[in-house]
Amino acid sequence: MSASPAQPSDGTARQPPLDTRYLVETPEGIDLVLHPAGLVPRALAFAVDLMVRGLILLLAFLLLGQFGELGMGLASLTFFLVTWWYMVLFEVLNQGRSPGKQLLGLQVLHDDGTPVGWAASLTRNLLRVVDLLPFGYSLGILSCLAHPAFKRLGDLAAGTLVVYRERAQPRPSLPEVAAQPLPFALQADERRALLAFAERQAGLSAGRRRELAGILAGPLQVPEAQAEARLLGIARELMGPS
């Protein structure tokens, strides 16, 4: 899969997105839209993970410290594992989500939108020591702010991307109104626009609904006061039996 910017198959130039969306074109020619996470949510997720790791280490040292030299050896091993493998294990085994990322709704993916693997996760986390230089995550912050997809140096080297995890949104339901026949044939984009109005009408103010419906009152050949109900009835007809 290729990442944005990409050229469509007909040879026409694709316009770059106006916002921070990250477009990935799949081998099937489908555009996958990802939403890169900025510096603030990533920093908050890292802070949560830092606290979780600190708590794990504190409990480990308190517990294992009671067993003398053997306990301290095991505590040192725990320190190594938590420091270097905490992020990697969670990212690979938990769909790119450490506890901090999961709390903030983030996940790590490859640049092509596929789940992050062992090599990429190891690379991005080992290079975290470079992002920390010269102090206080300076290089990582500068790289994140300068890159259009908010990548730190570890992400650039590993070919990874931190994005907001997409959540399935329930499809809005149409109002329970009687279906009404179409007054004339509608194009596909006109049908989509009409259905979008019907699905979003509950979230629009009454004035905005009247304004939008009034635009179509003329073509529908109905008074403006009846245009909204007419549109909802046509939308119900387009949806078919529920």
Side-chain angles (χ1 to χ4, degrees), residues 22-236:
Y22 187 87
L23 300 180
V24 176
E25 186 176 352
T26 67
E28 295 79 16
I30 300 173
D31 282 338
L32 179 65
V33 181
L34 304 175
H35 299 271
L39 177 62
V40 173
R42 293 184 62 169
L44 292 175
F46 181 74
V48 172
D49 285 319
L50 202 60
M51 288 188 291
V52 172
R53 283 185 289 182
L55 180 60
I56 293 174
L57 291 174
L58 176 62
L59 294 176
F61 274 87
L62 289 177
L63 177 63
L64 297 175
Q66 302 177 19
F67 297 95
E69 293 184 358
L70 174 62
M72 294 308 298
L74 293 174
S76 298
L77 178 61
T78 302
F79 178 82
F80 170 79
L81 293 175
V82 171
T83 301
W84 295 106
W85 286 92
Y86 169 92
M87 288 289 196
V88 176
L89 290 174
F90 273 112
E91 288 177 358
V92 177
L93 302 179
N94 192 38
Q95 301 178 338
R97 297 171 295 170
S98 63
K101 289 185 179 68
Q102 187 158 358
L103 182 63
L104 272 293
L106 310 178
Q107 69 178 142
V108 182
L109 299 173
H110 286 128
D111 284 342
D112 59 4
T114 56
V116 67
W118 290 101
S121 183
L122 274 169
T123 300
R124 72 184 304 272
N125 284 291
L126 287 175
L127 287 180
R128 196 178 295 275
V129 295
V130 179
D131 287 307
L132 287 167
L133 298 175
F135 57 87
Y137 241 105
S138 299
L139 283 180
I141 291 173
L142 291 176
S143 175
C144 192
L145 292 176
H147 196 277
F150 311 112
K151 289 191 174 193
R152 61 178 177 84
L153 298 179
D155 291 313
L156 292 172
T160 55
L161 186 70
V162 179
V163 300
Y164 287 99
R165 183 174 174 84
E166 296 294 334
R167 294 182 174 87
Q169 298 293 332
R171 185 175 179 83
S173 58
L174 298 183
E176 294 297 331
V177 297
Q180 299 187 31
L182 279 68
F184 45 79
L186 297 176
Q187 301 294 328
D189 56 343
E190 295 171 334
R191 291 170 179 257
R192 286 194 294 267
L194 196 151
L195 288 172
F197 168 80
E199 291 174 346
R200 294 178 53 202
Q201 56 85 32
L204 300 174
S205 65
R208 183 58 172 163
R209 292 199 305 270
R210 287 193 299 269
E211 178 186 357
L212 294 174
I215 297 174
L216 296 177
L220 292 175
Q221 299 179 354
V222 296
E224 289 191 13
Q226 302 176 13
E228 183 179 342
R230 182 82 165 111
L231 287 175
L232 296 178
I234 294 173
R236 174 58 66 184

